[in-house]
Amino acid sequence: MPAIASLSKSSTSAVPSTLKVGVASLSSPLEVGAGNAHKAASDLHALLESIGCTVVDVGPINGSNQAIAAGRQMAEAHVNAIALIATSWYEDYLVLDLLEECSAPVMIWSLPGMETGALCGTQQLTSYLKYLGIHACCIYGDLGNPECIRKTSTFLRAAALKYTLRRTRVGLMGSRVNGMTHTAANEFALKKSIGPRVVFLDSQLILERVKNVSEKEAALVWQNILGKSAKCCVAQADGLYSAQMYLALREVIAEYNLNAIAIGCYPNLMGKVCLAASLLADEGIPLACEGDLNGAVGQVILTTLTGQPTHNTDWLEPLDDGTVIFTHCGSGSFSLAAPKEKITLSPVRLMEQGACVLFPAKVGPVTLISLTPAQDGYQCAILEGEALPVEMVFPGNPVRVHFDQPVESIMSWIHEQGISHHWMIGYGHVGEEVREWNRIAGSALHVISLNNEAHIIPAQN
């Protein structure tokens, strides 16, 4: 599963080289600007390569036959996205014919020019596409414009996210927690609106596999873990079992070609899979607690966009200073810890068994996602904030987040919109990419955010 390098809002680089983009120019032979078609396609090709893309350049398109051939070439190359640059007014059917052959997400960049009519051509095209239910990302400006390049990067990262999610497989071991109904996945809606396929795993067979893992191999893993920790309060037997669980799950993930996994840990497996979650996160494989398959998909979204492990948390407690504490029992990646001196290996709270990694979380900009099945698809709630320094206020991986909005407003919004209590947290602000992915993914996906009223689903009566 390719990770998409994180971009700041001012950055103009670093989309994944694994992202393959089909490039062409649009024009009509009679129009002013048509003579610039070859150069424009070449310039866009160079720009996209400079920000990390692999480019399939089909050159100028100014007729239906060229459009069909270009679409077929892009389809045969399995492009993840299409980037078209308009140098003059052009017939709308050029893009329609191309998309019939290759239906990847499309961006249209209109170059300025009083007599060219490039922007006019794009407006007439998007009117048509709107009624066909096809979203196109539209950009207007010179190729060197930093804001245009930033928007291009956002679109390409969203397109890569869609491509990844359509091919994602999430394993489910056990079941969701009895009493956490919102964590139940709607498999049909999940596949239609987001893309992942669910793979059911036999818990008993996996637990038998754990017992058969070499104790010698597990001991090497456990010793490595001890070396990364400042303090250990875990019994040797529990540590070895946790290492065996990790190794067994790695085998299962490879066998079923999984991109993420959710395990029904509460209550009997509490503490027994937490360490595996920490270690797998560093290998790019999220593991969601409490059988929350929706949460696992949220982690895939953030891991893909940020290129980093994520926190799997509950919204716990607002503090008097307006910040909020998020955490779970201690299944976070070692890489998300504040200094190593704060990392402790401990049995899980409540059950006092197994091995958890306890630490206060590192600071930085964060994006929070909560996925919930909706009546007509899936709802994806997003928040952006700043993770601030935090003490060990909860035996887990506490994250203290400051939001620009008042906490009371956020909590009211959560209740009104039926947002679940599980929040996946990734480092970096990627809300814009998530909203662009929403536009690409279609109407069965509803992205909602408190500071973007256009994406809020009205409360159901």
Side-chain angles (χ1 to χ4, degrees):
M1 180 175 63
I4 305 174
S6 181
L7 288 171
S8 69
K9 293 306 176 188
S10 60
S11 176
T12 59
S13 62
V15 296
S17 58
T18 50
L19 178 62
K20 190 179 291 186
V21 184
V23 170
S25 62
L26 299 168
S27 64
S28 189
L30 183 62
E31 299 294 326
V32 173
N36 190 38
H38 279 279
K39 183 177 186 303
S42 178
D43 289 346
L44 182 57
H45 179 151
L47 171 62
L48 296 182
E49 281 192 337
S50 75
I51 60 175
C53 298
T54 298
V55 175
V56 177
D57 191 339
V58 301
I61 297 174
N62 60 22
S64 180
N65 289 337
Q66 285 180 315
I68 294 169
R72 289 175 179 173
Q73 185 177 343
M74 292 179 185
E76 289 168 1
H78 301 287
V79 299
N80 312 144
I82 299 168
L84 306 173
I85 186 162
T87 65
S88 76
W89 178 88
Y90 56 94
E91 293 84 357
D92 54 18
Y93 58 74
L94 298 181
V95 176
L96 297 174
D97 289 352
L98 185 153
L99 291 177
E100 290 294 350
E101 306 298 330
C102 181
S103 59
V106 62
M107 179 193 79
I108 303 162
W109 189 321
S110 303
L111 293 176
M114 182 63 71
E115 293 189 60
T116 64
L119 182 60
C120 178
T122 298
Q123 288 178 349
Q124 74 174 19
L125 170 66
T126 53
S127 174
Y128 200 159
L129 294 179
K130 165 74 174 179
Y131 295 107
L132 295 177
I134 299 173
H135 168 71
C137 173
C138 295
I139 294 173
Y140 171 76
D142 294 318
L143 273 175
N145 184 305
E147 179 62 13
C148 292
I149 299 173
R150 186 192 67 79
K151 289 180 179 178
T152 298
S153 295
T154 297
F155 163 75
L156 292 173
R157 286 151 53 77
L161 177 61
K162 179 189 177 184
Y163 183 86
T164 295
L165 290 170
R166 299 305 312 179
R167 291 155 179 79
T168 290
R169 289 163 297 281
V170 183
L172 178 59
M173 173 181 164
S175 62
R176 66 165 175 85
V177 174
N178 193 15
M180 290 188 191
T181 306
H182 66 79
T183 62
N186 181 331
E187 288 189 65
F188 294 117
L190 182 65
K191 186 62 187 171
K192 178 181 178 181
S193 60
I194 299 177
R197 175 167 65 83
V198 180
V199 178
F200 286 89
L201 306 172
D202 189 310
S203 299
Q204 193 57 44
L205 290 179
I206 292 176
L207 293 177
E208 287 296 323
R209 186 180 295 209
V210 173
K211 295 178 184 178
N212 294 327
V213 171
S214 160
E215 290 188 6
K216 182 178 180 180
E217 190 176 359
L220 292 174
V221 172
W222 179 238
Q223 286 301 313
N224 182 55
I225 293 165
L226 290 173
K228 298 195 295 183
S229 308
K231 182 180 179 181
C232 179
C233 306
V234 173
Q236 177 82 352
D238 282 343
L240 290 175
Y241 183 87
S242 293
Q244 287 175 303
M245 175 67 75
Y246 159 68
L247 293 169
L249 288 176
R250 282 190 74 195
E251 291 178 358
V252 171
I253 288 164
E255 182 178 329
Y256 290 95
N257 198 19
L258 302 177
N259 306 105
I261 189 169
I263 296 180
C265 56
Y266 183 93
N268 296 322
L269 291 180
M270 285 179 67
K272 297 184 178 183
V273 297
C274 300
L275 193 57
S278 299
L279 299 176
L280 289 170
D282 288 327
E283 299 173 17
I285 306 294
L287 189 158
C289 307
E290 299 172 338
D292 185 0
L293 195 138
N294 303 317
V297 175
Q299 287 180 287
V300 171
I301 292 168
L302 289 173
T303 297
T304 303
L305 285 173
T306 67
Q308 301 180 62
T310 63
H311 293 288
N312 177 354
T313 75
D314 292 340
W315 172 301
L316 282 192
E317 188 74 5
L319 303 181
D320 292 340
D321 63 2
T323 59
V324 180
I325 298 295
F326 296 83
T327 189
H328 246 168
C329 304
S331 57
S333 159
F334 284 79
S335 68
L336 300 181
K340 180 181 176 181
E341 293 72 25
K342 300 283 183 76
I343 297 177
T344 298
L345 299 173
S346 173
V348 71
R349 62 184 291 272
L350 303 181
M351 295 294 284
E352 293 301 319
Q353 66 182 15
C356 292
V357 181
L358 309 185
F359 56 77
K362 69 179 185 177
V363 302
V366 290
T367 301
L368 296 83
I369 281 181
S370 185
L371 273 180
T372 313
Q375 291 179 341
D376 56 348
Y378 258 78
Q379 173 177 280
C380 176
I382 56 172
L383 290 167
E384 289 183 328
E386 187 81 15
L388 302 179
V390 64
E391 299 299 322
M392 282 298 296
V393 295
F394 184 97
N397 311 131
V399 189
R400 175 173 160 249
V401 181
H402 171 266
F403 300 103
D404 288 339
Q405 305 91 342
V407 173
E408 294 79 6
S409 297
I410 298 175
M411 290 194 296
S412 294
W413 172 69
I414 289 171
H415 294 312
E416 290 168 1
Q417 300 300 322
I419 299 167
S420 76
H421 77 291
H422 280 167
W423 289 90
M424 309 300 126
I425 303 178
Y427 284 88
H429 286 165
V430 294
E432 188 174 2
E433 286 82 352
V434 173
R435 284 186 283 270
E436 183 63 26
W437 164 60
N438 183 191
R439 299 182 189 103
I440 292 171
S443 59
L445 173 67
H446 309 281
V447 170
I448 62 172
S449 54
L450 187 60
N451 59 351
N452 193 330
E453 296 295 327
H455 292 273
I456 292 180
I457 301 173
Q460 299 294 319
N461 293 326

